[in-house]
mmCIF file with all atom_site columns, all heavy atoms in Angstrom:
data_model
loop_
_atom_site.group_PDB
_atom_site.id
_atom_site.type_symbol
_atom_site.label_atom_id
_atom_site.label_alt_id
_atom_site.label_comp_id
_atom_site.label_asym_id
_atom_site.label_entity_id
_atom_site.label_seq_id
_atom_site.pdbx_PDB_ins_code
_atom_site.Cartn_x
_atom_site.Cartn_y
_atom_site.Cartn_z
_atom_site.occupancy
_atom_site.B_iso_or_equiv
_atom_site.pdbx_formal_charge
_atom_site.auth_seq_id
_atom_site.auth_comp_id
_atom_site.auth_asym_id
_atom_site.auth_atom_id
_atom_site.pdbx_PDB_model_num
ATOM 1   N N   . ARG A 1 8   ? 76.919  -47.319 -102.540 1.00 0.00 ? 15  ARG A N   1
ATOM 2   C CA  . ARG A 1 8   ? 77.539  -46.343 -101.659 1.00 0.00 ? 15  ARG A CA  1
ATOM 3   C C   . ARG A 1 8   ? 76.959  -44.939 -101.879 1.00 0.00 ? 15  ARG A C   1
ATOM 4   O O   . ARG A 1 8   ? 76.707  -44.202 -100.928 1.00 0.00 ? 15  ARG A O   1
ATOM 5   C CB  . ARG A 1 8   ? 79.050  -46.331 -101.894 1.00 0.00 ? 15  ARG A CB  1
ATOM 6   C CG  . ARG A 1 8   ? 79.808  -45.443 -100.899 1.00 0.00 ? 15  ARG A CG  1
ATOM 7   C CD  . ARG A 1 8   ? 81.295  -45.637 -101.010 1.00 0.00 ? 15  ARG A CD  1
ATOM 8   N NE  . ARG A 1 8   ? 81.765  -45.313 -102.345 1.00 0.00 ? 15  ARG A NE  1
ATOM 9   C CZ  . ARG A 1 8   ? 83.041  -45.450 -102.735 1.00 0.00 ? 15  ARG A CZ  1
ATOM 10  N NH1 . ARG A 1 8   ? 83.937  -45.951 -101.901 1.00 0.00 ? 15  ARG A NH1 1
ATOM 11  N NH2 . ARG A 1 8   ? 83.396  -45.127 -103.966 1.00 0.00 ? 15  ARG A NH2 1
ATOM 12  N N   . GLN A 1 57  ? 52.204  -46.693 -84.928  1.00 0.00 ? 64  GLN A N   1
ATOM 13  C CA  . GLN A 1 57  ? 52.495  -47.089 -86.306  1.00 0.00 ? 64  GLN A CA  1
ATOM 14  C C   . GLN A 1 57  ? 53.834  -47.816 -86.408  1.00 0.00 ? 64  GLN A C   1
ATOM 15  O O   . GLN A 1 57  ? 54.000  -48.728 -87.222  1.00 0.00 ? 64  GLN A O   1
ATOM 16  C CB  . GLN A 1 57  ? 52.508  -45.853 -87.210  1.00 0.00 ? 64  GLN A CB  1
ATOM 17  C CG  . GLN A 1 57  ? 52.657  -46.191 -88.691  1.00 0.00 ? 64  GLN A CG  1
ATOM 18  C CD  . GLN A 1 57  ? 52.658  -44.952 -89.547  1.00 0.00 ? 64  GLN A CD  1
ATOM 19  O OE1 . GLN A 1 57  ? 53.669  -44.269 -89.631  1.00 0.00 ? 64  GLN A OE1 1
ATOM 20  N NE2 . GLN A 1 57  ? 51.537  -44.640 -90.165  1.00 0.00 ? 64  GLN A NE2 1
ATOM 21  N N   . TYR A 1 113 ? 58.525  -40.798 -62.843  1.00 0.00 ? 120 TYR A N   1
ATOM 22  C CA  . TYR A 1 113 ? 58.049  -40.113 -64.039  1.00 0.00 ? 120 TYR A CA  1
ATOM 23  C C   . TYR A 1 113 ? 57.531  -38.715 -63.745  1.00 0.00 ? 120 TYR A C   1
ATOM 24  O O   . TYR A 1 113 ? 56.915  -38.093 -64.594  1.00 0.00 ? 120 TYR A O   1
ATOM 25  C CB  . TYR A 1 113 ? 56.998  -40.962 -64.745  1.00 0.00 ? 120 TYR A CB  1
ATOM 26  C CG  . TYR A 1 113 ? 57.592  -42.260 -65.274  1.00 0.00 ? 120 TYR A CG  1
ATOM 27  C CD1 . TYR A 1 113 ? 57.475  -43.442 -64.544  1.00 0.00 ? 120 TYR A CD1 1
ATOM 28  C CD2 . TYR A 1 113 ? 58.290  -42.277 -66.461  1.00 0.00 ? 120 TYR A CD2 1
ATOM 29  C CE1 . TYR A 1 113 ? 58.045  -44.621 -65.009  1.00 0.00 ? 120 TYR A CE1 1
ATOM 30  C CE2 . TYR A 1 113 ? 58.852  -43.451 -66.937  1.00 0.00 ? 120 TYR A CE2 1
ATOM 31  C CZ  . TYR A 1 113 ? 58.736  -44.622 -66.216  1.00 0.00 ? 120 TYR A CZ  1
ATOM 32  O OH  . TYR A 1 113 ? 59.305  -45.778 -66.679  1.00 0.00 ? 120 TYR A OH  1
ATOM 33  N N   . LYS A 1 127 ? 76.750  -31.146 -62.236  1.00 0.00 ? 134 LYS A N   1
ATOM 34  C CA  . LYS A 1 127 ? 78.171  -31.205 -61.897  1.00 0.00 ? 134 LYS A CA  1
ATOM 35  C C   . LYS A 1 127 ? 79.008  -31.571 -63.120  1.00 0.00 ? 134 LYS A C   1
ATOM 36  O O   . LYS A 1 127 ? 80.097  -31.024 -63.338  1.00 0.00 ? 134 LYS A O   1
ATOM 37  C CB  . LYS A 1 127 ? 78.395  -32.233 -60.784  1.00 0.00 ? 134 LYS A CB  1
ATOM 38  C CG  . LYS A 1 127 ? 79.843  -32.306 -60.285  1.00 0.00 ? 134 LYS A CG  1
ATOM 39  C CD  . LYS A 1 127 ? 79.967  -33.283 -59.129  1.00 0.00 ? 134 LYS A CD  1
ATOM 40  C CE  . LYS A 1 127 ? 81.376  -33.276 -58.550  1.00 0.00 ? 134 LYS A CE  1
ATOM 41  N NZ  . LYS A 1 127 ? 82.414  -33.636 -59.552  1.00 0.00 ? 134 LYS A NZ  1
ATOM 42  N N   . GLN A 1 128 ? 78.486  -32.485 -63.937  1.00 0.00 ? 135 GLN A N   1
ATOM 43  C CA  . GLN A 1 128 ? 79.221  -32.896 -65.135  1.00 0.00 ? 135 GLN A CA  1
ATOM 44  C C   . GLN A 1 128 ? 79.448  -31.711 -66.072  1.00 0.00 ? 135 GLN A C   1
ATOM 45  O O   . GLN A 1 128 ? 80.548  -31.533 -66.605  1.00 0.00 ? 135 GLN A O   1
ATOM 46  C CB  . GLN A 1 128 ? 78.450  -34.000 -65.870  1.00 0.00 ? 135 GLN A CB  1
ATOM 47  C CG  . GLN A 1 128 ? 79.150  -34.501 -67.130  1.00 0.00 ? 135 GLN A CG  1
ATOM 48  C CD  . GLN A 1 128 ? 78.369  -35.623 -67.799  1.00 0.00 ? 135 GLN A CD  1
ATOM 49  O OE1 . GLN A 1 128 ? 77.591  -36.338 -67.157  1.00 0.00 ? 135 GLN A OE1 1
ATOM 50  N NE2 . GLN A 1 128 ? 78.579  -35.796 -69.102  1.00 0.00 ? 135 GLN A NE2 1
ATOM 51  N N   . SER A 1 153 ? 70.933  -1.975  -74.079  1.00 0.00 ? 160 SER A N   1
ATOM 52  C CA  . SER A 1 153 ? 69.756  -2.219  -74.910  1.00 0.00 ? 160 SER A CA  1
ATOM 53  C C   . SER A 1 153 ? 69.770  -3.657  -75.429  1.00 0.00 ? 160 SER A C   1
ATOM 54  O O   . SER A 1 153 ? 70.808  -4.166  -75.876  1.00 0.00 ? 160 SER A O   1
ATOM 55  C CB  . SER A 1 153 ? 69.745  -1.238  -76.086  1.00 0.00 ? 160 SER A CB  1
ATOM 56  O OG  . SER A 1 153 ? 68.635  -1.468  -76.908  1.00 0.00 ? 160 SER A OG  1
ATOM 57  N N   . LEU A 1 203 ? 62.131  -33.265 -88.690  1.00 0.00 ? 210 LEU A N   1
ATOM 58  C CA  . LEU A 1 203 ? 61.465  -34.200 -89.597  1.00 0.00 ? 210 LEU A CA  1
ATOM 59  C C   . LEU A 1 203 ? 60.321  -33.560 -90.375  1.00 0.00 ? 210 LEU A C   1
ATOM 60  O O   . LEU A 1 203 ? 59.844  -34.120 -91.355  1.00 0.00 ? 210 LEU A O   1
ATOM 61  C CB  . LEU A 1 203 ? 60.941  -35.400 -88.803  1.00 0.00 ? 210 LEU A CB  1
ATOM 62  C CG  . LEU A 1 203 ? 62.026  -36.280 -88.169  1.00 0.00 ? 210 LEU A CG  1
ATOM 63  C CD1 . LEU A 1 203 ? 61.382  -37.327 -87.255  1.00 0.00 ? 210 LEU A CD1 1
ATOM 64  C CD2 . LEU A 1 203 ? 62.862  -36.963 -89.235  1.00 0.00 ? 210 LEU A CD2 1
ATOM 65  N N   . SER A 1 212 ? 74.679  -19.349 -82.920  1.00 0.00 ? 219 SER A N   1
ATOM 66  C CA  . SER A 1 212 ? 74.659  -19.336 -81.451  1.00 0.00 ? 219 SER A CA  1
ATOM 67  C C   . SER A 1 212 ? 74.688  -17.922 -80.881  1.00 0.00 ? 219 SER A C   1
ATOM 68  O O   . SER A 1 212 ? 74.411  -17.741 -79.685  1.00 0.00 ? 219 SER A O   1
ATOM 69  C CB  . SER A 1 212 ? 75.842  -20.141 -80.904  1.00 0.00 ? 219 SER A CB  1
ATOM 70  O OG  . SER A 1 212 ? 77.078  -19.534 -81.303  1.00 0.00 ? 219 SER A OG  1
ATOM 71  N N   . THR A 1 229 ? 65.927  -26.463 -64.492  1.00 0.00 ? 236 THR A N   1
ATOM 72  C CA  . THR A 1 229 ? 64.907  -25.861 -65.353  1.00 0.00 ? 236 THR A CA  1
ATOM 73  C C   . THR A 1 229 ? 64.489  -26.886 -66.395  1.00 0.00 ? 236 THR A C   1
ATOM 74  O O   . THR A 1 229 ? 65.064  -27.979 -66.496  1.00 0.00 ? 236 THR A O   1
ATOM 75  C CB  . THR A 1 229 ? 65.452  -24.609 -66.052  1.00 0.00 ? 236 THR A CB  1
ATOM 76  O OG1 . THR A 1 229 ? 66.550  -24.991 -66.896  1.00 0.00 ? 236 THR A OG1 1
ATOM 77  C CG2 . THR A 1 229 ? 65.902  -23.572 -65.042  1.00 0.00 ? 236 THR A CG2 1
ATOM 78  N N   . GLU A 1 251 ? 56.523  -23.968 -80.785  1.00 0.00 ? 258 GLU A N   1
ATOM 79  C CA  . GLU A 1 251 ? 57.006  -22.968 -79.844  1.00 0.00 ? 258 GLU A CA  1
ATOM 80  C C   . GLU A 1 251 ? 58.334  -23.392 -79.212  1.00 0.00 ? 258 GLU A C   1
ATOM 81  O O   . GLU A 1 251 ? 59.052  -22.566 -78.641  1.00 0.00 ? 258 GLU A O   1
ATOM 82  C CB  . GLU A 1 251 ? 55.965  -22.688 -78.755  1.00 0.00 ? 258 GLU A CB  1
ATOM 83  C CG  . GLU A 1 251 ? 55.598  -23.862 -77.881  1.00 0.00 ? 258 GLU A CG  1
ATOM 84  C CD  . GLU A 1 251 ? 54.398  -24.649 -78.399  1.00 0.00 ? 258 GLU A CD  1
ATOM 85  O OE1 . GLU A 1 251 ? 54.155  -24.636 -79.629  1.00 0.00 ? 258 GLU A OE1 1
ATOM 86  O OE2 . GLU A 1 251 ? 53.713  -25.276 -77.566  1.00 0.00 ? 258 GLU A OE2 1
ATOM 87  N N   . GLY A 1 299 ? 32.420  -19.203 -78.145  1.00 0.00 ? 306 GLY A N   1
ATOM 88  C CA  . GLY A 1 299 ? 31.527  -20.226 -77.627  1.00 0.00 ? 306 GLY A CA  1
ATOM 89  C C   . GLY A 1 299 ? 31.922  -21.655 -77.925  1.00 0.00 ? 306 GLY A C   1
ATOM 90  O O   . GLY A 1 299 ? 31.078  -22.486 -78.238  1.00 0.00 ? 306 GLY A O   1
ATOM 91  N N   . SER A 1 317 ? 35.161  -24.659 -69.665  1.00 0.00 ? 324 SER A N   1
ATOM 92  C CA  . SER A 1 317 ? 34.345  -25.688 -70.322  1.00 0.00 ? 324 SER A CA  1
ATOM 93  C C   . SER A 1 317 ? 35.225  -26.707 -71.035  1.00 0.00 ? 324 SER A C   1
ATOM 94  O O   . SER A 1 317 ? 36.364  -26.421 -71.411  1.00 0.00 ? 324 SER A O   1
ATOM 95  C CB  . SER A 1 317 ? 33.387  -25.043 -71.324  1.00 0.00 ? 324 SER A CB  1
ATOM 96  O OG  . SER A 1 317 ? 34.108  -24.381 -72.362  1.00 0.00 ? 324 SER A OG  1
ATOM 97  N N   . GLU A 1 321 ? 32.087  -32.422 -71.589  1.00 0.00 ? 328 GLU A N   1
ATOM 98  C CA  . GLU A 1 321 ? 30.873  -31.896 -70.972  1.00 0.00 ? 328 GLU A CA  1
ATOM 99  C C   . GLU A 1 321 ? 30.008  -31.130 -71.965  1.00 0.00 ? 328 GLU A C   1
ATOM 100 O O   . GLU A 1 321 ? 28.814  -30.938 -71.738  1.00 0.00 ? 328 GLU A O   1
ATOM 101 C CB  . GLU A 1 321 ? 31.246  -30.998 -69.799  1.00 0.00 ? 328 GLU A CB  1
ATOM 102 C CG  . GLU A 1 321 ? 31.819  -31.750 -68.593  1.00 0.00 ? 328 GLU A CG  1
ATOM 103 C CD  . GLU A 1 321 ? 33.246  -32.217 -68.817  1.00 0.00 ? 328 GLU A CD  1
ATOM 104 O OE1 . GLU A 1 321 ? 33.905  -31.720 -69.770  1.00 0.00 ? 328 GLU A OE1 1
ATOM 105 O OE2 . GLU A 1 321 ? 33.707  -33.097 -68.061  1.00 0.00 ? 328 GLU A OE2 1
ATOM 106 N N   . TYR A 1 380 ? 29.731  -38.698 -86.168  1.00 0.00 ? 387 TYR A N   1
ATOM 107 C CA  . TYR A 1 380 ? 29.928  -39.831 -85.262  1.00 0.00 ? 387 TYR A CA  1
ATOM 108 C C   . TYR A 1 380 ? 28.660  -40.167 -84.485  1.00 0.00 ? 387 TYR A C   1
ATOM 109 O O   . TYR A 1 380 ? 28.429  -41.341 -84.147  1.00 0.00 ? 387 TYR A O   1
ATOM 110 C CB  . TYR A 1 380 ? 31.102  -39.563 -84.315  1.00 0.00 ? 387 TYR A CB  1
ATOM 111 C CG  . TYR A 1 380 ? 32.423  -39.860 -84.969  1.00 0.00 ? 387 TYR A CG  1
ATOM 112 C CD1 . TYR A 1 380 ? 33.146  -38.857 -85.595  1.00 0.00 ? 387 TYR A CD1 1
ATOM 113 C CD2 . TYR A 1 380 ? 32.930  -41.153 -85.006  1.00 0.00 ? 387 TYR A CD2 1
ATOM 114 C CE1 . TYR A 1 380 ? 34.356  -39.128 -86.232  1.00 0.00 ? 387 TYR A CE1 1
ATOM 115 C CE2 . TYR A 1 380 ? 34.122  -41.439 -85.632  1.00 0.00 ? 387 TYR A CE2 1
ATOM 116 C CZ  . TYR A 1 380 ? 34.833  -40.422 -86.241  1.00 0.00 ? 387 TYR A CZ  1
ATOM 117 O OH  . TYR A 1 380 ? 36.022  -40.713 -86.875  1.00 0.00 ? 387 TYR A OH  1
ATOM 118 N N   . ILE A 1 394 ? 19.783  -40.750 -71.759  1.00 0.00 ? 401 ILE A N   1
ATOM 119 C CA  . ILE A 1 394 ? 18.972  -40.959 -70.564  1.00 0.00 ? 401 ILE A CA  1
ATOM 120 C C   . ILE A 1 394 ? 19.342  -40.016 -69.415  1.00 0.00 ? 401 ILE A C   1
ATOM 121 O O   . ILE A 1 394 ? 18.447  -39.438 -68.773  1.00 0.00 ? 401 ILE A O   1
ATOM 122 C CB  . ILE A 1 394 ? 19.009  -42.444 -70.132  1.00 0.00 ? 401 ILE A CB  1
ATOM 123 C CG1 . ILE A 1 394 ? 18.120  -43.271 -71.078  1.00 0.00 ? 401 ILE A CG1 1
ATOM 124 C CG2 . ILE A 1 394 ? 18.562  -42.617 -68.683  1.00 0.00 ? 401 ILE A CG2 1
ATOM 125 C CD1 . ILE A 1 394 ? 18.194  -44.772 -70.858  1.00 0.00 ? 401 ILE A CD1 1
ATOM 126 N N   . ARG A 1 454 ? 0.508   -21.206 -89.134  1.00 0.00 ? 461 ARG A N   1
ATOM 127 C CA  . ARG A 1 454 ? -0.082  -22.529 -89.411  1.00 0.00 ? 461 ARG A CA  1
ATOM 128 C C   . ARG A 1 454 ? -1.500  -22.729 -88.858  1.00 0.00 ? 461 ARG A C   1
ATOM 129 O O   . ARG A 1 454 ? -2.210  -23.605 -89.334  1.00 0.00 ? 461 ARG A O   1
ATOM 130 C CB  . ARG A 1 454 ? 0.820   -23.622 -88.807  1.00 0.00 ? 461 ARG A CB  1
ATOM 131 C CG  . ARG A 1 454 ? 2.270   -23.551 -89.209  1.00 0.00 ? 461 ARG A CG  1
ATOM 132 C CD  . ARG A 1 454 ? 2.496   -23.838 -90.668  1.00 0.00 ? 461 ARG A CD  1
ATOM 133 N NE  . ARG A 1 454 ? 3.918   -23.870 -91.008  1.00 0.00 ? 461 ARG A NE  1
ATOM 134 C CZ  . ARG A 1 454 ? 4.390   -23.994 -92.230  1.00 0.00 ? 461 ARG A CZ  1
ATOM 135 N NH1 . ARG A 1 454 ? 3.554   -24.121 -93.245  1.00 0.00 ? 461 ARG A NH1 1
ATOM 136 N NH2 . ARG A 1 454 ? 5.692   -24.006 -92.450  1.00 0.00 ? 461 ARG A NH2 1
ATOM 137 N N   . LEU A 1 466 ? -11.435 -34.075 -86.681  1.00 0.00 ? 473 LEU A N   1
ATOM 138 C CA  . LEU A 1 466 ? -10.373 -35.094 -86.649  1.00 0.00 ? 473 LEU A CA  1
ATOM 139 C C   . LEU A 1 466 ? -10.482 -35.937 -85.381  1.00 0.00 ? 473 LEU A C   1
ATOM 140 O O   . LEU A 1 466 ? -10.293 -37.162 -85.420  1.00 0.00 ? 473 LEU A O   1
ATOM 141 C CB  . LEU A 1 466 ? -9.002  -34.415 -86.735  1.00 0.00 ? 473 LEU A CB  1
ATOM 142 C CG  . LEU A 1 466 ? -7.792  -35.349 -86.758  1.00 0.00 ? 473 LEU A CG  1
ATOM 143 C CD1 . LEU A 1 466 ? -7.844  -36.296 -87.947  1.00 0.00 ? 473 LEU A CD1 1
ATOM 144 C CD2 . LEU A 1 466 ? -6.494  -34.534 -86.796  1.00 0.00 ? 473 LEU A CD2 1
ATOM 145 N N   . LEU A 1 467 ? -10.793 -35.302 -84.253  1.00 0.00 ? 474 LEU A N   1
ATOM 146 C CA  . LEU A 1 467 ? -10.998 -36.048 -83.009  1.00 0.00 ? 474 LEU A CA  1
ATOM 147 C C   . LEU A 1 467 ? -12.102 -37.091 -83.164  1.00 0.00 ? 474 LEU A C   1
ATOM 148 O O   . LEU A 1 467 ? -11.954 -38.251 -82.752  1.00 0.00 ? 474 LEU A O   1
ATOM 149 C CB  . LEU A 1 467 ? -11.370 -35.094 -81.877  1.00 0.00 ? 474 LEU A CB  1
ATOM 150 C CG  . LEU A 1 467 ? -10.246 -34.462 -81.048  1.00 0.00 ? 474 LEU A CG  1
ATOM 151 C CD1 . LEU A 1 467 ? -10.839 -33.501 -80.029  1.00 0.00 ? 474 LEU A CD1 1
ATOM 152 C CD2 . LEU A 1 467 ? -9.429  -35.542 -80.335  1.00 0.00 ? 474 LEU A CD2 1
ATOM 153 N N   . LEU A 1 484 ? -6.764  -43.722 -93.037  1.00 0.00 ? 491 LEU A N   1
ATOM 154 C CA  . LEU A 1 484 ? -8.021  -43.182 -92.523  1.00 0.00 ? 491 LEU A CA  1
ATOM 155 C C   . LEU A 1 484 ? -8.128  -41.668 -92.760  1.00 0.00 ? 491 LEU A C   1
ATOM 156 O O   . LEU A 1 484 ? -9.161  -41.173 -93.235  1.00 0.00 ? 491 LEU A O   1
ATOM 157 C CB  . LEU A 1 484 ? -8.109  -43.482 -91.024  1.00 0.00 ? 491 LEU A CB  1
ATOM 158 C CG  . LEU A 1 484 ? -9.298  -42.864 -90.277  1.00 0.00 ? 491 LEU A CG  1
ATOM 159 C CD1 . LEU A 1 484 ? -10.605 -43.518 -90.733  1.00 0.00 ? 491 LEU A CD1 1
ATOM 160 C CD2 . LEU A 1 484 ? -9.102  -43.023 -88.772  1.00 0.00 ? 491 LEU A CD2 1
#
Side-chain angles (χ1 to χ4, degrees):
R15 186 170 60 183
Q64 186 180 78
Y120 295 97
K134 184 177 185 301
Q135 180 178 335
S160 179
L210 294 172
S219 63
T236 62
E258 62 268 27
S324 63
E328 290 75 16
Y387 278 94
I401 285 173
R461 307 293 185 186
L473 182 60
L474 271 177
L491 174 68

